Amino acid sequence: MDIKFNKNEDYNRLKVSEVRQKKEKIYLGGGKKRIEKEHAKGKMTARERIDYLLDKDKPQFEIGTFAGYEMYKEHGGCPAGGVVVKIGHIAGKQAIVVANDATVKAGAWFPITGKKNLRAQEIAMENNLPIIYLVDSAGVYLPMQDEIFPDKEHFGRIFRNNAIMSSEGIIQIAAIMGSCVAGGAYLPIMSDESLIVDKTGTIFLAGSYLVKAAIGEEIDNETLGGATTQTAISGVVDHKVKNDKEALDKIRNIMSKIGDFEKAGFNRAEPKKPAKNPEDIYGLLPASRQEQYDMYEIIERIVDADSFDEYKADYGKTLITGYARIDGWAVGIVANQRKIVKNAKGEMQFGGVIYSDSADKAARFVMNCNQKKIPLVFLQDVTGFMVGSRSEQGGIIKDGAKMVSAVSTSVVPKFTVVIGNSYGAGNYAMNGRAYDPRLMLAWPSSEIAVMSGNAASKVLLQIEEARLKKMGETITPEKEKELLEHIQNKYNKQISPYYAAARLWTDEIIDPLKTREWISMGIEMANHKPIKKRYNVGAIQT
């Protein structure tokens, strides 16, 4: 291997290590002291509960680990959004588990907590996936109630989703393992089956302090809404259990008796390892986002050996399209080629840019995969669509619209992996968050923004200089340098993978070597929901 490969490898391994270290800190939630307090109450932490519940011999994947990262600093922070979400298997059945983290502000709901819970429910609904709620929450975080309570995608949407899922036969099981108060009390009771842990679990619309303030009644929380009250007297909850482990064992028993599900029928063959060593990805991926590289080399290290069958190889070369297998699953790959290529006319085309011919090819390929019922995998490293008079006269808007339409109306499950750049309309055409990927994953090398940091900084600098000049200020070279540095630092922070993951623009930042496992798990998940809607090719402009 050459020196450049070794430098890239060192850089990318360091980036993966940085992600891992940040996650280890997030896993502590509110900190070791608060974890010890939960243990002193006889309770397990959110992560301990999930790890106990999920099958040990099957893979498990956490969603939204970085939710809330470096947000709400004035409120003490909200690690992982105060809620842990994992996809795994329970008694052999794939499921998604949502557990409030009581070590983070007693499990109170911040705005990002609500967004993360809604994302978990969205995954369950998109894939007909059983969802398990492990409830331990003090309710809405009151200092920010205006950002979590009243809007369409706020707290109340969760209960609406409870009802929708029940109507669609999606299994919901809830265990009340701590506090469950006010509007939050509806979540477990709107589930199909509910459990409550004796002495530590309580559920009521108003706690003892509020009851006294409202109607003057003096009563303790246990008598008001403890396990005995809510199972033996009110009948609100279905099962009373002695402790956390018994609650989790009960959930496993319930899950073990669930019947099989109707499948979508996605094609799967015997899995094969990639033809080339996936660890080479670290050396192939440039440290700089501006450098070129060959996306075919990345694809070879993600897909099963001898499975890639390219579609329109000689046309629209800045986008690679082809059929392949990942861990045995048949997939359609749409990937940005990141090196400069030459088209059939002998013209040079920039890597990472979508031209008219590549957009046309991608649209046709997406249609084909829909007709063949093949899930789509988008590998993003895109700077946007080609601009300029030649592209405009060639109909770039029309071809771009055709690609966006094909992606938007797709009925097969789509998965997006942001490898590098994800800029502007390229993010949209390559199945960004707004286009409903079943999973939106990011490598540590990813950047999501309207445009690159360098380009945006220059535009923003011009705007700021014009504003200052209008106010009568003189812009010296030193002042210009200072302004540019300030703008670049701010913008670079916003395009980092952590900024995106904190706001759930992506579901998780992953090690590139785990990409195959994530996609395989995602297709297994998507296989729970048969495709009922026919893909309408005629709706797309041709």
Side-chain angles (χ1 to χ4, degrees), residues 367 370-371 405-406 409-411 533-541:
M367 291 184 232
N370 272 270
Q371 298 295 65
S405 294
T409 57
S410 175
V411 296
K533 187 178 176 182
R534 188 176 182 277
Y535 191 59
N536 187 3
V537 176
I540 299 168
Q541 182 182 1

Side-chain angles (χ1 to χ4, degrees), residues 61 278 281 298 301-303 326-327 333 377-379 415-419 439 441-444 510-522:
F61 299 88
I281 289 171
I298 303 295
R301 289 159 175 84
I302 291 176
V303 304
I326 293 178
D327 197 32
I333 303 280
V377 176
F378 292 81
L379 302 178
F415 302 89
T416 301
V417 183
V418 188
I419 290 176
L439 291 171
L441 307 169
W443 287 5
I510 67 168
D511 183 340
L513 304 190
K514 296 289 185 182
T515 303
R516 281 170 54 82
E517 295 175 46
W518 272 91
I519 298 299
S520 178
M521 179 273 293

Side-chain angles (χ1 to χ4, degrees), residues 305-335:
D306 306 317
S307 71
F308 189 64
D309 183 13
E310 191 166 4
Y311 173 82
K312 286 185 179 286
D314 298 322
Y315 179 69
K317 290 184 176 181
T318 64
L319 270 176
I320 299 168
T321 54
Y323 307 103
R325 292 190 183 275
I326 293 178
D327 197 32
W329 293 104
V331 296
I333 303 280
V334 182

Side-chain angles (χ1 to χ4, degrees), residues 464-482:
E464 182 63 11
E465 285 181 338
R467 186 185 71 83
L468 292 172
K469 285 177 182 176
K470 196 173 182 180
M471 294 171 63
E473 290 194 32
T474 303
I475 309 299
T476 63
E478 291 78 17
K479 178 70 173 177
E480 184 177 36
K481 184 180 177 183
E482 182 186 329

